[in-house]
Amino acid sequence: MLNDIESIKNLAQDEIARAGSLKDINDIKAKYLGRKGLLTGKFHSLGSVPREDRPRIGRILNEARNFIESLLRKQEDIFRASELDRSLRSRQIDVTVPGCFIPAGHLHPVTRVLDEISAIFVSLGFTIEEGPEVELDYYNFEALNFPRDHPARDMQDTFFISDDVVLRTHTSSVQVRVMEKNSPPLRVIAPGKVYRCDADVSHIPMFHQLEGFMVDRHIRFSDLKGVLELLIHRVFGRDTSLRFRPSFFPFTEPSAEIDISCVMCNGAGCHVCGGTGWIEILGAGMINPRVYEKAGYDPERYTGFAFGLGIERVAMLKYGIDDIRLFPENDKRFLEQF
Ligand code: FA5
C-alpha cells in the first residue's frame, strides 16, 4: 500500500510538471483526486488495511493528497497569471493614437436671439406664454377684429387647414387666449413659430415672432415707447435710434411700425437699408377696444399695448446676414460661424 501511494505521488508530480495548460491541470486533478481517482481509490481500500495500521496509512494518504493538491494549485496559479497577462497584452491601449474629434454643438442663432430677448422681458416682470401653431381662425383673425371678409387678412398670406383652422400667421393669436384665462394686470410675451405663404431674401414661410403685450389701468403709448426703446438699446446698443411711423393693424388703434437706425451704416444709408438709414423691425400699437370685448374685459376700465417682433429680422441685423433663407437651411458651414 505504502509503495502504491509513493508511486501515485511521483506519477502525479511528473504529470503536473509536464502539464501545458489549465485543462491539463483539471484532467490531472480528476485522474488522481476525482471521485474515481487513483489516490481516492486508496482511501476507499483503507478498510482492508489491518486496524492498527489504519491511522498511520490514513495520515500518509492525507499527506499525499495535500501534496498533490498544493502542486496542482501552484501550477494552476502560474497558468492563470500567464493567461491574464496574455489577455492584458492583447488589449493594450496605445495612448499615443490620435483621438476622434467630437465637435461641440451650440444653439442656433435664432434660438440665441429669442433667448436673449425673452430674458430681457423676464427681467422686466413679463411672463412667457405659448399658443398652438395650428390655430383656430377665431384666435388668429376673428377675435383680433379681422372680420371674415376683411382685406387685411390678405396681408397675412395664410395657410388654411380648413375653413376654421389655420397655421397661425402671427403670435398675436396668443393675446385673446391669454386674456380669456387671466384678468389684468397682464405683462406677457409669447414667442414662437408662425407661418405665411411667403418666400424671398427677406421672407420665409416659417419664421419666429415674439409677441408682447401689457394690459392694466392707465397704460399709455409712452409706456410702449419706453419698453421698446429699452429693448432696442439692450439688443443693438444705446446709439441705436427708434422711429415710430403710423400704420394699420385691425387689433391695435393707433398702430405703428417701428424702424431702427440702420445698424450696418449707423443711419448714413447703405444697401441693407435701401439708402434710407432706417430698417423696419416690428409692428405695435394700443390694443383695440374690440379685442377687449372679445376677451370679456371692460374697455372703459383697461388699456394696454401690444407689439410683434420678427426674430429672424433681428438676427439678420445683429449678425450682418443679408439672406433670411440661410436660417432654416441648417447648412453647418453657415451655422458654425456663430
Ligand atoms: C404682425 O404680424 C403683427 N401681428 C405684429 C403686431 C403685433 C402689430 C402686435 C401690432 C401689435 P407683421 O405682418 O408686420 O405684423 O409682421 C411682424 C414682423 O414679422 C415683421 O416686422 C417682420 O420682422 C416679420 N416678418 C413678417 N413676415 C415675415 C416673413 N415671411 N419672414 C420673416 N419675417 C417676417
Side-chain angles (χ1 to χ4, degrees):
M1 178 79 153
L2 288 177
N3 286 344
D4 287 353
I5 295 171
E6 195 55 32
S7 70
I8 288 172
K9 254 174 78 177
N10 292 338
L11 273 174
Q13 189 171 17
D14 270 6
E15 284 191 37
I16 292 168
R18 277 185 279 113
S21 67
L22 273 174
K23 184 183 175 305
D24 292 349
I25 292 295
N26 284 334
D27 291 347
I28 297 167
K29 196 184 281 179
K31 179 174 173 186
Y32 292 92
L33 305 178
R35 217 150 45 83
K36 291 184 182 158
L38 293 176
L39 195 70
T40 315
K42 295 294 163 201
F43 276 99
H44 291 155
S45 52
L46 205 55
S48 56
V49 172
R51 184 179 288 274
E52 63 276 16
D53 291 337
R54 276 186 212 159
R56 191 168 56 88
I57 307 279
R59 201 182 61 245
I60 291 169
L61 268 173
N62 277 332
E63 279 169 8
R65 183 174 59 194
N66 292 343
F67 174 75
I68 297 173
E69 272 178 352
S70 88
L71 288 183
L72 283 168
R73 237 190 335 269
K74 235 184 254 167
Q75 200 54 43
E76 191 175 328
D77 285 350
I78 291 169
F79 285 137
R80 283 199 194 286
S82 78
E83 202 160 273
L84 179 68
D85 189 52
R86 210 174 26 251
S87 93
L88 284 178
R89 269 177 208 290
S90 69
R91 279 185 281 141
Q92 220 173 29
I93 296 166
D94 182 354
V95 292
T96 63
V97 172
C100 311
F101 176 67
I102 302 170
H106 62 68
L107 293 177
H108 192 283
V110 169
T111 309
R112 291 240 291 254
V113 171
L114 208 51
D115 288 354
E116 180 188 344
I117 294 177
S118 300
I120 294 170
F121 283 104
V122 168
S123 78
L124 295 176
F126 282 67
T127 54
I128 300 176
E129 297 283 349
E130 285 186 331
E133 291 171 26
V134 179
E135 181 57 286
L136 293 173
D137 178 284
Y138 177 77
Y139 290 109
N140 197 76
F141 290 126
E142 203 92 20
L144 295 174
N145 193 33
F146 288 87
R148 285 261 163 195
D149 50 0
H150 198 290
R153 283 191 177 216
D154 293 345
M155 289 159 48
Q156 305 255 332
D157 298 308
T158 313
F159 288 111
F160 281 91
I161 304 287
S162 70
D163 278 354
D164 297 323
V165 180
V166 298
L167 291 184
R168 69 176 176 187
T169 57
H170 53 177
T171 43
S172 301
S173 58
V174 181
Q175 282 186 28
V176 172
R177 282 188 174 275
V178 171
M179 289 184 201
E180 280 176 349
K181 292 208 185 96
N182 303 276
S183 303
L186 295 181
R187 263 185 290 185
V188 173
I189 55 166
K193 293 190 188 79
V194 300
Y195 302 83
R196 293 185 195 177
C197 186
D198 203 359
D200 58 39
V201 282
S202 54
H203 295 87
I204 39 179
M206 184 196 80
F207 59 102
H208 296 76
Q209 283 190 342
L210 183 133
E211 190 81 4
F213 53 97
M214 190 163 177
V215 181
D216 201 350
R217 305 204 65 188
H218 315 302
I219 300 284
R220 293 168 306 187
F221 201 88
S222 53
D223 295 312
L224 170 65
K225 286 183 80 172
V227 167
L228 292 182
E229 200 167 77
L230 181 139
L231 169 71
I232 297 304
H233 284 169
R234 290 238 188 125
V235 176
F236 292 107
R238 291 195 66 82
D239 295 337
T240 312
S241 312
L242 278 80
R243 180 170 80 169
F244 285 69
R245 277 185 292 107
S247 184
F248 173 76
F249 297 103
F251 42 98
T252 46
E253 184 58 38
S255 304
E257 257 161 344
I258 288 95
D259 302 333
I260 59 169
S261 52
C262 179
V263 288
M264 306 293 171
C265 63
N266 281 330
C270 67
H271 76 282
V272 174
C273 58
T276 63
W278 295 97
I279 294 174
E280 184 209 313
I281 189 150
L282 56 94
M286 300 305 287
I287 295 175
N288 192 317
R290 296 241 174 120
V291 176
Y292 294 136
E293 283 166 12
K294 294 282 187 193
Y297 288 5
D298 180 357
E300 295 298 325
R301 194 171 159 77
Y302 295 112
T303 55
F305 64 73
F307 61 87
L309 185 72
I311 298 298
E312 280 80 358
R313 293 276 166 86
V314 177
M316 282 172 86
L317 295 172
K318 212 172 150 60
Y319 297 120
I321 291 152
D322 57 7
D323 189 339
I324 197 169
R325 292 170 298 195
L326 290 166
F327 288 119
E329 256 175 22
N330 281 337
D331 185 329
K332 270 176 72 187
R333 289 168 302 176
F334 169 68
L335 294 175
E336 271 164 6
Q337 296 173 40
F338 297 94

